[in-house]
Amino acid sequence: MALVLTRHFPHWRTLAIHEPSPSIGGISPKLKRDCAGYVASQYFPGRLLGKQIAGYRNENLELQTFPDESFDLVVTLDVMEHVNQPAEVLREIARTLKPGGVYLFTVPTYKERATSERRALYRPDGSVEHYGEPEYHGDPVSDANSLVTFHYGYDLAELIHKWSGMDVEVVRFHDHGRGIIGDFTEVYLATKPFGMASQGEGETATLNADDGWPAEVHAMCVNASHPHGVLPDVHKEDLSFRFVYDHPGFPTKDEAIGYYFNDGARSAAKVRKIIDEWTGGAELLTILEFAAGYGAVTRHATAALAPHTLHSSDVHANDFLTNVLGVRSVPSTDVPEELSLPTEYDVVFALSFFSHMPRSTWGRWLQRLYAGLQPGGIFLFTTHGTTSMQYFPQATLDGTGYWFDQNVGHGGPDATRYGQTITSKEFVDTNIALLPGAEYLTYEPAGWWEHQDLYVIRKPSTAARVGNRVKPAGE
């Protein structure tokens, strides 16, 4: 690290440098002693972020409090193998670097690995899920050692660019004169390109003062997101956020924003519970979140559903889902039959999607998403059921158990394709009966948000199976 630093940045003493988790020995004391613009940080969970604690600034690398474009260099020594969400860390580092700034770091890179591997995951409830034999390294500020979360392979440079947009150079040594020999000699230089936006790219502008949102709203998002370990970025067109933020039922905006993040976490956890219940929780699954919007649930689901593979689909929000939240997005369409899916999924879930569809596409969407399942796959979705009628006093179900008002929406697409929909269980059952072989697993009236009905069905595991098996509610 010292050799690369002096070769590439001979004027490093004049730069603004951030070093997270500095070591007690090695190059860290020299950086601190000789660089006037040096800032050292450690993460002290549960303590106020951005404050000095025990001689360090308290910073969560996945959710930093530094302003945009604060540093010329960010330096870490063997830190990235311990972070929980490396994509979020890389995006935050890119945000805090000045244009042309560099993230200079070392991390163990396993020469036998072509692709990187997650070894452990910290869950939102504080528990740890291990995917291999637990491995620990020393921690300079704690008697407890640091858990290794990743073994990186030779795809790391590509991943860095994918996650952050930064360009990457890898320096690998075999230098007997300096004693730099053996494994794990790689030093990475990730450079933030000039002209690179600090908050995503193109149409992915996020919640900040430049988009007409007060800066204090972003600060409230940072505080509300922190306990969940998710990104605070909220897109300016996030209808779910706007609905909650403007709702008169919350005494303060703090409480409204807190509800937005808490509710997303609850929904992601409930989806995981249902998936584990009906799949056994053992296999690695491919999951599609349909009508994801701007990620109210997605930002939590990426961790809650790990190590399963999550894809998220929306008509409008795919750039934000991919570039900011880091999930693979699948473009949607207004015509169910035109939806192109990259694979058949083990699980599809659609929260509050069928509560907005007109009769012309309601059943067609149910059929298209069901067709996107693997044999034996499960499909869970929610609807505005009869309990929801308390919020729509003008609603009257027709003879089939259906009501739609194209004039009652919250700023969504064309009202002829989107509004407010209420369906009885009989209406939903009639449509489920049209799905080849669909097996009813769960019906929970008012099971989501205390008013939307929850349905879980399964596709038959063999193509030879015909007919439906429908369980009455409560069976």
Side-chain angles (χ1 to χ4, degrees):
M1 172 68 81
L3 186 57
V4 173
L5 178 70
T6 54
R7 280 180 176 176
H8 287 259
F9 309 97
H11 59 304
W12 62 265
R13 291 173 178 81
T14 67
L15 302 179
I17 301 176
H18 173 211
E19 184 179 15
S21 300
S23 58
I24 296 174
I27 195 174
S28 298
K30 184 173 182 62
L31 291 174
K32 181 179 180 180
R33 182 178 66 247
D34 293 353
C35 179
Y38 174 82
V39 176
S41 70
Q42 296 281 0
Y43 181 38
F44 300 91
R47 306 288 293 275
L48 193 61
L49 294 175
K51 300 299 182 181
Q52 290 293 120
I53 300 174
Y56 300 98
R57 178 165 168 143
N58 186 24
E59 290 292 341
N60 178 354
L61 288 186
E62 298 172 8
L63 195 64
Q64 299 179 41
T65 65
F66 295 110
D68 294 355
E69 301 180 4
S70 294
F71 301 106
D72 301 293
L73 280 178
V74 175
V75 177
T76 63
L77 290 159
D78 292 355
V79 170
M80 287 297 295
E81 72 269 31
H82 302 293
V83 303
N84 198 40
Q85 299 294 346
E88 296 177 12
V89 173
L90 266 297
R91 281 192 289 270
E92 277 290 89
I93 288 174
R95 179 185 67 79
T96 62
L97 280 171
K98 299 175 183 178
V102 174
Y103 175 33
L104 180 66
F105 69 100
T106 62
V107 67
T109 306
Y110 291 80
K111 62 184 179 183
E112 70 275 13
R113 296 203 60 84
T115 58
S116 299
E117 173 191 49
R118 181 181 279 278
R119 303 285 296 177
L121 174 75
Y122 290 97
R123 293 198 167 280
D125 63 3
S127 63
V128 179
E129 185 166 346
H130 295 279
Y131 308 120
E133 186 67 25
E135 179 182 342
Y136 296 87
H137 297 167
D139 188 328
V141 295
S142 172
D143 293 334
N145 289 330
S146 296
L147 178 66
V148 172
T149 54
F150 275 87
H151 279 181
Y152 293 108
Y154 274 79
D155 62 342
L156 179 55
E158 181 181 353
L159 291 174
I160 293 167
H161 178 74
K162 175 183 176 182
W163 291 334
S164 68
M166 291 191 286
D167 297 320
V168 185
E169 177 185 352
V170 185
V171 180
R172 186 165 182 261
F173 290 94
H174 190 86
D175 189 333
H176 281 264
R178 294 181 174 85
I180 309 175
I181 58 177
D183 294 335
F184 308 132
T185 64
E186 290 82 5
V187 179
Y188 290 79
L189 299 95
T191 303
K192 179 176 180 176
F194 286 93
M196 175 180 168
S198 294
Q199 300 285 343
E201 298 177 1
E203 296 300 317
T204 60
T206 53
L207 177 63
N208 57 48
D210 292 339
D211 294 320
W213 295 88
E216 59 267 23
V217 176
H218 182 68
M220 286 188 279
C221 288
V222 170
N223 290 333
S225 64
H226 179 250
H228 303 291
V230 298
L231 285 172
D233 304 290
V234 177
H235 196 279
K236 61 182 179 181
E237 296 176 6
D238 187 334
L239 300 179
S240 297
F241 181 84
R242 286 180 178 271
F243 176 78
V244 171
Y245 185 78
D246 294 332
H247 199 285
F250 294 101
T252 67
K253 297 303 183 185
D254 259 328
E255 292 178 70
I257 292 173
Y259 177 87
Y260 172 86
F261 285 96
N262 292 337
D263 183 69
R266 284 193 297 267
S267 290
K270 187 166 184 175
V271 169
R272 177 60 187 252
K273 181 179 179 181
I274 293 169
I275 290 173
D276 287 349
E277 178 181 1
W278 293 109
T279 66
E283 298 181 14
L284 291 177
L285 307 173
T286 303
I287 302 171
L288 175 67
E289 177 194 17
F290 190 74
Y294 286 95
V297 175
T298 314
R299 69 184 69 238
H300 303 274
T302 51
L305 300 182
H308 304 311
T309 298
L310 175 66
H311 295 173
S312 295
S313 179
D314 196 76
V315 175
H316 303 289
N318 295 284
D319 285 346
F320 184 83
L321 293 171
T322 297
N323 296 336
V324 178
L325 299 186
V327 66
R328 177 175 176 182
S329 62
V330 178
S332 187
T333 173
D334 294 318
V335 181
E337 294 77 14
E338 294 179 359
L339 176 67
S340 178
L341 299 177
T343 186
E344 290 185 334
Y345 291 91
D346 299 296
V347 179
V348 174
F349 69 95
L351 304 179
S352 198
F353 171 70
F354 290 96
S355 54
H356 298 290
M357 289 299 103
R359 184 190 296 272
S360 61
T361 57
W362 201 102
R364 289 159 58 199
W365 273 120
L366 192 74
Q367 293 174 30
R368 177 64 190 97
L369 294 175
Y370 181 77
L373 288 171
Q374 291 267 19
I378 66 169
F379 179 21
L380 67 98
F381 61 94
T382 67
T383 68
H384 281 149
T386 53
T387 304
S388 300
M389 294 181 74
Q390 63 185 301
Y391 302 111
F392 304 99
Q394 75 276 31
T396 303
L397 297 178
D398 64 16
T400 66
Y402 178 89
W403 174 82
F404 176 76
D405 188 346
Q406 68 181 37
N407 297 315
V408 182
H410 48 83
D414 187 328
T416 61
R417 303 191 301 266
Y418 188 93
Q420 293 289 1
T421 304
I422 296 178
T423 51
S424 68
K425 182 176 184 295
E426 291 71 25
F427 177 89
V428 178
D429 286 350
T430 299
N431 281 273
I432 290 176
L434 300 176
L435 305 176
E439 176 186 4
Y440 230 133
L441 299 179
T442 296
Y443 166 66
E444 188 178 342
W448 220 283
W449 299 299
E450 300 180 345
H451 72 95
Q452 288 206 24
D453 295 347
L454 167 67
Y455 296 84
V456 184
I457 59 178
R458 177 156 52 202
K459 195 173 188 177
S461 57
T462 63
R465 179 171 178 170
V466 294
N468 295 8
R469 191 178 92 199
V470 177
K471 296 181 181 179
E475 180 177 335

